[in-house]
Amino acid sequence: MIILDNISKRFRDGTKALQQVSLEVEPGEFVYLKGKSGSGKSTLLKVLFGQEKVNQGQVLVSDFMVTSLKENRIHELRRKMGFVFQDYQLLQYKTVYENIAYVLEVTNYPEDEIRSRVVDALELVGLKHKVFDFPRDCSGGEQQRIAIARAIVHDPLILLADEPTGNLDPHTGYGILKLLHKINQTGTTVIMATHDQSLVDKMPSRVIELENGYLAKDRSKDHTMLILSSRMGEQYVI
Ligand code: ADP
Ligand code: MG
C-alpha cells in the first residue's frame, strides 16, 4: 500500500517539482506514471524511495511513514523496494553475477541463498547464460534486464522503474515492458515512469499523469477517470 497525502516538493532553488499530489496505490497494481519531461515523475519516485524529502504532506509506503522515517532506518524501507533506472547503472568492472549478488551481500544473505537467488532472478529475465559476462558484453536491452534482475533479487514488494525503456529501441523496449508486467503478475507492485503513450497502449493499465508537478489525471485500466485534477485543491471522482 502506497499513500501520498497532499505532498509538495520544492527544491532549494525554488523549483516546485510536486504540488499537492494525493494518490493511493494498492498492493499488486501496475501503474504508469506519465508526464512530459520536467513534470515531476523522477521526483515522485525518489520521494517513494526515501531519496528526496517533501516539504508538505505525508508519504506512507508499506508500513513505513516515510515522511517521519529517521535517516538511519531508510535502508529498511529500501529493502522493500527495487529501483530501475533509464541508464541501467550497472557496475562495469563487475560480472553480471557480481552486479546482482552485491545487493544481497551488503544485507548479509548466506552464500548459498545468494547463489540461488541470483540464478532465479537471471532466469526470470531470460539471461541465465550471461551470468559470468560483463555488462559491456551485453546489449542495451540485456543490460536493462540485468538491472531488473538486480532490482528484484531481494523480492521487493514494490518495483519503481524510471523511464526504463528510454534508451532502447521500440522492440527492445516492448520486451522490457512485458518483463515488468510479468514481474507484476508475481504480486509485485510496479510503478513505471514513462512519457511514451505508445507503450501504455501496448499493455494498458492504470495511468497517473503529472503536469508541472500537479496530478493531472488518474485513469484506471478501463479508462475510468479516477481523479480529474487536484489543481483546485480538490479531487473530483466522476
Ligand atoms: P521528470 O522526471 O518528469 O522529467 P523531474 O522530477 O526530474 O521531472 O523534475 C521536475 C522538476 O524539478 C523539473 O523542473 C526539474 O528541473 C526540477 N528538478 C529536479 N531535480 C532537481 C534538483 N535536484 N534541484 C532543482 N530542481 C530539480
Ligand atoms: Mg525523470
Side-chain angles (χ1 to χ4, degrees):
M1 169 70 107
I2 293 170
I3 299 176
L4 299 182
D5 182 15
N6 197 28
I7 63 159
S8 294
K9 170 68 186 177
R10 192 186 59 250
F11 285 105
R12 251 181 229 153
D13 65 357
T15 308
K16 293 177 174 174
L18 296 170
Q19 311 205 61
Q20 298 153 33
V21 175
S22 292
L23 57 91
E24 291 185 23
V25 178
E26 299 287 343
E29 279 198 79
F30 190 108
V31 179
Y32 293 104
L33 183 59
K34 261 197 66 186
K36 290 189 192 131
S37 179
S39 59
K41 304 181 296 296
S42 297
T43 305
L44 195 150
L45 295 181
K46 286 178 191 168
V47 163
L48 293 175
F49 203 56
Q51 209 176 319
E52 291 286 2
K53 284 196 172 350
V54 295
N55 302 95
Q56 176 201 305
Q58 295 294 336
V59 179
L60 185 87
V61 175
S62 180
D63 41 6
F64 291 89
M65 188 59 85
V66 181
T67 18
S68 49
L69 192 63
K70 292 206 171 65
E71 207 62 43
N72 63 1
R73 295 195 60 187
I74 285 179
H75 67 278
E76 293 175 39
L77 166 74
R78 292 194 182 151
R79 249 179 242 161
K80 309 243 178 197
M81 298 202 255
F83 209 116
V84 177
F85 307 89
Q86 178 171 348
D87 57 355
Y88 331 130
Q89 300 201 6
L90 299 171
L91 299 169
Q92 293 299 321
Y93 56 88
K94 286 186 186 284
T95 62
V96 169
Y97 181 90
E98 289 164 347
N99 264 282
I100 303 169
Y102 177 74
V103 182
L104 303 175
E105 283 160 1
V106 295
T107 41
N108 295 318
Y109 278 75
E111 193 66 38
D112 50 346
E113 189 177 345
I114 293 179
R115 211 170 305 121
S116 70
R117 277 180 176 265
V118 173
V119 171
D120 288 351
L122 277 173
E123 187 141 34
L124 182 77
V125 304
L127 285 180
K128 216 168 132 188
H129 58 289
K130 290 278 185 184
V131 63
F132 296 121
D133 287 359
F134 284 88
R136 63 171 174 273
D137 303 320
C138 302
S139 68
E142 286 171 343
Q143 291 195 47
Q144 191 57 295
R145 283 172 186 273
I146 295 161
I148 292 170
R150 177 184 59 186
I152 57 156
V153 73
H154 57 302
D155 269 334
L157 295 172
I158 301 163
L159 180 60
L160 306 174
D162 196 355
E163 310 239 15
T165 64
N167 287 1
L168 304 171
D169 65 80
H171 176 74
T172 310
Y174 183 37
I176 295 296
L177 182 68
K178 285 195 282 193
L179 175 58
L180 293 176
H181 277 270
K182 181 168 139 189
I183 290 164
N184 174 245
Q185 293 295 307
T186 68
T188 313
T189 308
V190 177
I191 303 183
M192 171 179 157
T194 182
H195 57 260
D196 187 350
Q197 180 61 38
S198 69
L199 280 177
V200 178
D201 293 339
K202 281 197 177 92
M203 302 189 83
S205 195
R206 180 176 171 193
V207 178
I208 292 173
E209 190 161 343
L210 294 175
E211 234 177 78
N212 298 322
Y214 285 98
L215 195 156
K217 280 182 201 155
D218 189 348
R219 283 177 198 273
S220 69
K221 184 176 179 176
D222 58 8
H223 295 281
T224 316
M225 191 79 95
L226 300 175
I227 296 168
L228 188 61
S229 175
S230 61
R231 260 178 214 231
M232 313 302 286
E234 289 176 42
Q235 293 179 356
Y236 305 94
V237 178
I238 58 171

